[in-house]
Amino acid sequence: MPPFMPPIMPVKLSTQQADFPVAFKRFLSMRDSHAVEVSDTVRTIIEQVRVRGDNALYEYTAKFDRFEATHDSIRVTLEEMANAISLCQPELITSLKVAAKRIREYSERQMPPDLDYTDELGVRLGHRWSPIDSVGLYVPGGLAAYPSSVLMNAIPAKVAGAQRLVMVVPAPDGHLNPALLGAAHVAGIEEIYKIGGAQAVAALAYGTQSIAAVDKIVGPGNAYVAEAKRQVFGKVGIDMIAGPSEILVLADNQNNPAWIAADLLSQAEHDKEAQSVLITDDAEFANSVEAEVAKQLETLPRRDIAEPSWKNFGAIILVQSWDEACEIANVIAAEHVELAVENPEAFIPHIVHAGALFLGRHTPEAIGDYIAGPSHVLPTSRTARFSSGLSVFDFIKRTSIIGCSPEALSKLSGYADVLATTEGLDAHGRSVTIRRPI
């Protein structure tokens, strides 16, 4: 077996290194210093839109998208929608419909039941689920257009029962990608506005003369959009603060190195700050994958994005055991985790921090991006430690139900009174004891 010699780029680590804990910690923080500080700019944009409404919205749209929006032109018309659909290739519309069907069926199976029971004291308890009324869907329209994201965000909201779904998408020079409108049609979105950036998030949160405010905003965007979502949270709900895409592949030496290299590049081509990581227990296989990545980069159309992503943020980590691999995977808590190993089922109980798991050698992450069924909107930047991917649960809310009979209240009132008195809330206690039978 050849020695595991770390080149300068991408990062190579081995758990046998004496300084592995320090080097691994340094690796985890690699992207932190690359965060763009945009909070002041975003704060100004939000305040302007909140105070000045459409006037500010139109000014920012003209400045950033070179589109002179007006009350009449800002909303996509039925005619524009029909024209866009006519420009889409039939195979695209068919593929979108197949994906939509699978996303819808998966989302329907996720819907939770209500709860209603009476306990041993005669107290009725339970909860009910109800949909969020209105949802704003942010769709990027800049460097790349992702019609799949329209489906992945909109359909779970539809299944949950949201009555109003509002899509905002930047229209550089007044033009929209037909595929995005084709996806919106398939998803059943009818209210679409040609706006983007922090100004679009502000319009959805506070409303303007042209756009009524929503209750929750979902969807990915650039650093300005992410910061705007952070700042309006509390006024409205948000799904998550999404960072650059990530993939972590656990692979043994029985894989085809070309397959694994393709998987790593599938995320590297998203963004120059995307992160692709391979964990393996075989140094020779690691070297083969690295060589294959270099080979595939030579002909990759988005090489200008994927190559700096791989060289600046990619990593290959050599482990001595799969137990070590699972421990490291849980610390990384990646957005996408591929288990390209002989028995992926055995790994499932041990990897508890991941946005999504992809099982086996024939489940590339991209199948989840487009057609599998679960939403591809997933937690990034290690937030899988405490959050989940987008689903119907993001578009419903739970209301508790409590009901006491006179007898049940009598049995519980003494305990409630003690707790209220202890907390110095006499009116609380009185509201219970005053109902006791005399």
Side-chain angles (χ1 to χ4, degrees):
M1 182 179 295
F4 193 74
M5 299 297 293
I8 297 175
M9 296 292 183
V11 170
K12 277 191 175 179
L13 302 174
S14 171
T15 55
Q16 284 193 309
Q17 296 172 222
D19 67 340
F20 175 77
V22 174
F24 183 56
K25 185 176 181 180
R26 187 184 309 120
F27 160 73
L28 290 176
S29 63
M30 282 173 61
R31 293 189 295 177
D32 293 350
S33 61
H34 288 72
V36 181
E37 181 52 59
V38 298
S39 59
D40 290 343
T41 300
V42 168
R43 187 172 294 106
T44 298
I45 292 173
I46 291 174
E47 182 63 13
Q48 287 293 309
V49 174
R50 186 186 71 81
V51 173
R52 299 173 54 227
D54 276 350
N55 288 336
L57 181 62
Y58 299 161
E59 288 173 11
Y60 286 122
T61 300
K63 178 179 178 180
F64 296 124
D65 293 330
R66 305 169 303 283
F67 171 46
E68 298 292 338
T70 66
H71 182 79
D72 293 327
S73 66
I74 195 172
R75 182 166 176 172
V76 173
T77 65
L78 293 177
E79 182 180 2
E80 287 176 305
M81 178 77 83
N83 288 339
I85 294 169
S86 70
L87 295 174
C88 294
Q89 295 295 322
E91 57 266 29
L92 171 61
I93 297 299
T94 298
S95 298
L96 288 170
K97 287 180 177 178
V98 171
K101 180 176 183 292
R102 295 185 61 83
I103 298 165
R104 186 176 300 108
E105 289 175 350
Y106 179 84
S107 296
E108 288 171 349
R109 290 175 179 266
Q110 280 190 316
M111 285 294 289
D114 290 344
L115 177 67
D116 192 347
Y117 72 99
T118 301
D119 70 13
E120 68 280 0
L121 296 182
V123 179
R124 181 184 175 185
L125 299 170
H127 61 239
R128 57 161 185 165
W129 296 94
S130 55
I132 292 173
D133 289 338
S134 58
V135 176
L137 166 59
Y138 189 94
V139 176
L143 291 177
Y146 300 113
S148 59
S149 285
V150 177
L151 304 184
M152 295 288 184
N153 282 273
I155 293 174
K158 286 276 188 179
V159 170
Q163 295 301 301
R164 177 173 171 246
L165 196 56
V166 185
M167 177 170 145
V168 295
V169 54
D173 301 307
H175 301 298
L176 288 176
N177 188 306
L180 295 178
L181 295 185
H185 172 71
V186 170
I189 306 172
E190 298 178 351
E191 188 178 348
I192 307 171
Y193 297 96
K194 305 172 199 172
I195 56 171
Q199 61 272 21
V201 174
L204 290 173
Y206 291 97
T208 70
Q209 294 86 341
S210 296
I211 304 172
V214 299
D215 298 313
K216 187 166 188 174
I217 301 172
V218 303
N222 61 20
Y224 291 86
V225 171
E227 178 61 24
K229 287 170 66 177
R230 189 194 311 274
Q231 291 189 22
V232 301
F233 176 64
K235 175 66 177 179
V236 293
I238 63 171
D239 52 348
M240 63 185 76
I241 306 296
S245 189
E246 306 159 349
I247 187 170
L248 171 63
V249 182
L250 277 67
D252 57 30
N253 61 9
Q254 298 305 301
N255 285 279
N256 184 331
W259 292 14
I260 303 304
D263 293 352
L264 294 169
L265 290 175
S266 72
Q267 297 310 296
E269 71 175 353
H270 264 301
D271 189 294
K272 290 181 179 179
E273 292 193 1
Q275 188 164 67
S276 303
V277 180
L278 169 65
I279 298 180
T280 184
D281 62 346
D282 187 284
E284 184 175 0
F285 177 74
N287 291 334
S288 297
V289 171
E290 184 180 9
E292 186 63 37
V293 168
K295 178 182 177 181
Q296 293 185 24
L297 275 171
E298 292 178 1
T299 56
L300 193 67
R302 292 172 67 88
R303 178 177 181 173
D304 61 326
I305 296 173
E307 189 166 45
S309 165
W310 174 243
K311 288 191 173 182
N312 295 332
F313 300 106
I316 297 175
I317 302 176
L318 186 66
V319 296
Q320 299 307 302
S321 70
W322 292 116
D323 286 340
E324 278 187 344
C326 290
E327 291 175 6
I328 292 170
N330 281 325
V331 176
I332 295 174
E335 178 185 16
H336 310 102
V337 177
E338 286 187 8
L339 301 176
V341 292
E342 186 64 30
N343 182 17
E345 296 286 340
F347 286 67
I348 295 176
H350 303 288
I351 298 182
V352 294
H353 301 315
L357 296 176
F358 300 83
L359 309 182
R361 311 189 203 285
H362 291 85
T363 314
E365 182 279 329
I367 206 72
D369 277 346
Y370 296 115
I371 207 77
S375 178
H376 69 205
V377 181
L378 298 167
T380 60
S381 304
R382 302 186 65 216
T383 59
R385 294 173 295 123
F386 54 79
S387 61
S388 309
L390 193 78
S391 72
V392 293
F393 292 100
D394 288 277
F395 304 105
I396 54 179
K397 48 196 174 61
R398 188 180 64 252
T399 302
S400 299
I401 297 172
I402 304 168
C404 288
S405 65
E407 295 77 17
L409 178 63
S410 180
K411 294 173 184 176
L412 293 176
S413 60
Y415 305 114
D417 186 32
V418 168
L419 292 170
T421 301
T422 300
E423 295 183 354
L425 299 174
D426 294 341
H428 278 63
R430 186 178 300 115
S431 72
V432 174
T433 59
I434 200 171
R435 286 173 165 79
R436 286 176 177 168
I438 300 175

